[in-house]
Amino acid sequence: MSILHTVNKSPFEKNALSSCLGHTKSGDGVLLIEDAVYGALKGTKSSDQVEAAKSTVGLYVLGPDLAARGLAADRLLDGVTVVDYGGFVDLVAKYDTTQAWL
Amino acid sequence: MSILHTVNKSPFEKNALSSCLGHTKSGDGVLLIEDAVYGALKGTKSSDQVEAAKSTVGLYVLGPDLAARGLAADRLLDGVTVVDYGGFVDLVAKYDTTQAWL
Amino acid sequence: MSEAAGGGATSKKFLYVNRKAPYGTIYALESLEVVLIGAAFEQDVSLAFIDDGVFQLSKGQSTDAIGVKNFSPTYRALGDYEVTKLYVEKESLDERGLTLDDLMDVTYEDEDDDYEEKPSIRVVSRSELADIMAGQDVILSF
Amino acid sequence: MSEAAGGGATSKKFLYVNRKAPYGTIYALESLEVVLIGAAFEQDVSLAFIDDGVFQLSKGQSTDAIGVKNFSPTYRALGDYEVTKLYVEKESLDERGLTLDDLMDVTYEDEDDDYEEKPSIRVVSRSELADIMAGQDVILSF
Amino acid sequence: MKFGIVVNEGPYTHQAADSAYQFTKAVLEKGHEVFRVFFYHDGVNNGTRLTVPPGDERDIQKNWTALAEEHKVDLVICIAAAQRRGILDANEAKRQGKDADNIAPGFRISGLGQLIEAGIEADRLVTFGD
Amino acid sequence: MKFGIVVNEGPYTHQAADSAYQFTKAVLEKGHEVFRVFFYHDGVNNGTRLTVPPGDERDIQKNWTALAEEHKVDLVICIAAAQRRGILDANEAKRQGKDADNIAPGFRISGLGQLIEAGIEADRLVTFGD
């Protein structure tokens, strides 16, 4: 069964995103919300790890949380899809189950 | 002025200990309490960084927090001093000021 | 229960994921409280211990000096609640300098095998744990 | 105030250390509330932004869609409270792919220099920041 | 589809409470059913009626209460977590010999079984926390 | 020596509240003076009298209250942080039009200036948090 993994912590502060990416399987999705949206940026010390995950998992980021933090779309890694809260709901419905990396 | 740095988060979960050690100066002290006591263990993926700090800063760990987590003294890095709450108070008094890495 | 709910007569597979050290925060303790209550619902229950969650199972916890209740004996009682699958991640142990010997003995009596006492803790690789996660209906994280 | 308290007529050097991103938790906002109140006490105040704290100063924050108040304009008002020393760590910026251009303009009017408008943000190295910390009487961390 | 939602942190301190509220609203706007919102850990603090947020900030408790009143969303506070943190309804206050209660309208206090039931009955369970 | 102590997290959820209490006791046992314990952020939740911890656990609120009564320790809750989180004394409840209050004996509600004052007056300021 496919899993939508949600991560809400900055990759620079906590190990949640790193641990999450180490436990995904092909066909899973990873949605970055709250302070985890920093994980979707290019040119940071955590970008390579997220970039590497793109070939097997779907990467999503919550637009409202990006905007709150002043992050424009042109700073995101290629291939990351921006969704709103409605899109968040659609993702939860699309994947078979949901796992929060708290 | 000398600083007693207190850290209370696991080095495997958060960047607080790592950031703290990057900001100490010779003659400072670092006291590990709560979940940060795991940072005083030898043979972990964070041991090298703590080991390297020993030459310039005093390293202390709170004994009651070690015991709570089932960690015996023989697991600690050499040169780490175990203190109780009274010793914690003495350390705060000994150093000129205190900084918490939350 | 309706079929549409994915529930019904057949049970769901519940996985409780423990990623946090004990005592520093309450998540480990309150996770255990969920597991104990959940045991009454006769679902297919597994626990995963990854990252700092592996520290929850450390032997010899003694909390008198911090004035906090030692809840570690409860893990050893899980077998009585028919919670018998405690998956511990090998990579998480390795990074923390731990081996199986550092963990408590947690066992259960196997009713399908003449009530023989068997270990509940199963050390698995990160990749095996990802497979276990992928097989669940409900994943609760703490 | 007594001499023994280390206080007395002379002011103390206060450093507020900001290490957390805004909005995900309230620490950035409530830290700012302390700084504003503290400004009335006429101490020697500095702010440090390290680790994820540098994100607090990001330009263009827009919080309408998360339903949370945008408190970032308050940083730009700090000059009016005579809080004029905002130290931002270069290594923290670099690790996050940020430069000074990504941060808000925060300025103050220098009363000792004909009220010329000057930048409050000073980018410093980790080593310089360690020196700044070592020179404080009171360090409050958020 | 039936959604269960778990809220593990208190209002204002962590964005988790806001994210959970925005998500719950979006679930309803998409025409899905919210089976239950379960408040655990510090999440129980969403359900006190004694908060007085600054006038220019959102009122998280009132937002939840409005969801309960307008959409009949079942807002359940875990009793064990609530007792540790001082969230009581009138019955609990009486039973525990306390002289006041603080639960907000639209919330109810019940056991952890309500969380497990949400896991069984809902098609999806989504957790917001720290 | 005069100590100021800052508590930034609520009871039970984070060990910070316990650590701060144990440390404060040790300060007194060593013969030092506690100028003030200041409760900020979720730390304000230490000061509700409505908690009902399980019988086999420590009662953190009562521990603080005992320190205030036996050693005259000044326990100050930040008013701004308390309003967001629903911690009120009788005066505040009346002023805000709330029908109940929940502050515990030995605590008082005051402004952030009390934290700055602790920084100025105390020889050492020690912070416990998350």
Side-chain angles (χ1 to χ4, degrees), chain D residues 1-2 4-8 12 14 16 20 26-27 29-31 33-35 37-38 41 43 137-142, chain F residues 2 6 8-9 14 40-42 80-81 84-85 111-125 127 130:
Chain D
M1 297 185 205
S2 72
K12 276 193 174 183
F14 273 67
Y16 299 93
K20 290 178 181 157
I26 202 170
Y27 302 105
L29 168 60
E30 290 192 332
S31 166
E33 292 184 349
V34 178
V35 172
I37 298 287
F41 283 74
Q43 306 296 306
D137 297 304
V138 179
I139 304 174
L140 281 162
S141 302
F142 297 93
Chain F
K2 261 194 256 188
V6 184
N8 287 339
E9 297 298 332
H14 295 87
Y40 196 42
H41 304 307
D42 271 3
R84 280 200 184 90
R85 292 167 180 86
L112 274 170
Q114 301 271 310
L115 169 59
I116 308 297
E117 192 192 34
I120 295 170
E121 293 291 327
D123 300 299
R124 297 288 186 278
L125 193 67
T127 303
D130 180 38

Side-chain angles (χ1 to χ4, degrees), chain A residues 37-94:
Chain A
V37 299
Y38 297 119
L41 299 180
K42 59 188 172 193
T44 79
K45 71 171 176 174
S46 77
S47 301
D48 285 351
Q49 190 185 16
V50 180
E51 183 78 28
K54 277 188 344 195
S55 57
T56 55
V57 304
L59 279 175
Y60 310 93
V61 62
L62 195 62
D65 279 326
L66 280 175
R69 291 158 182 81
L71 305 174
D74 64 0
R75 309 198 69 131
L76 300 183
L77 289 164
D78 291 337
V80 174
T81 305
V82 180
V83 299
D84 60 11
Y85 287 104
F88 184 174
V89 174
D90 293 341
L91 286 173
V92 171
K94 173 184 165 185

Side-chain angles (χ1 to χ4, degrees), chain E residues 49 79 82 87-95 98 100-104 107-110:
Chain E
R49 68 174 183 276
I79 186 165
I87 304 296
L88 301 172
D89 61 16
N91 274 344
E92 271 298 295
K94 195 170 166 190
R95 206 167 66 88
K98 296 288 182 177
D101 69 81
N102 56 356
I103 195 170
F107 289 82
R108 65 187 179 92
I109 292 181
S110 188

Side-chain angles (χ1 to χ4, degrees), chain D residues 89-103:
Chain D
E89 186 176 274
K90 181 163 191 318
E91 286 85 344
S92 296
L93 290 175
D94 290 347
E95 289 166 358
R96 288 157 186 80
L98 299 176
T99 67
L100 188 55
D101 283 345
D102 297 309
L103 306 185

Side-chain angles (χ1 to χ4, degrees), chain F residues 76-89:
Chain F
V76 179
I77 292 174
C78 169
I79 187 166
Q83 287 182 339
R84 280 200 184 90
R85 292 167 180 86
I87 304 296
L88 301 172
D89 61 15

Side-chain angles (χ1 to χ4, degrees), chain B residues 17-100:
Chain B
L17 177 56
S18 173
S19 185
C20 167
L21 294 176
H23 292 89
T24 54
K25 290 180 70 76
S26 182
D28 283 357
V30 176
L31 171 63
L32 307 175
I33 67 170
E34 302 176 9
D35 287 345
V37 298
Y38 296 119
L41 298 181
K42 59 187 172 195
T44 79
K45 70 171 177 175
S46 76
S47 301
D48 285 352
Q49 190 186 14
V50 180
E51 183 78 28
K54 276 186 349 194
S55 57
T56 54
V57 303
L59 279 175
Y60 310 93
V61 62
L62 194 63
D65 280 325
L66 280 176
R69 290 157 183 80
L71 306 173
D74 63 1
R75 308 198 70 130
L76 300 183
L77 289 164
D78 290 339
V80 174
T81 304
V82 180
V83 300
D84 59 10
Y85 287 104
F88 184 174
V89 174
D90 293 342
L91 286 173
V92 171
K94 173 183 166 187
Y95 292 90
D96 296 318
T97 184
T98 301
Q99 177 169 12

Side-chain angles (χ1 to χ4, degrees), chain F residues 10 34 40 44 51 60 63 68 79 91 100 108 122:
Chain F
V34 175
Y40 196 42
V44 300
T51 55
I60 297 178
N63 282 346
I79 187 166
N91 274 344
R108 64 185 179 94

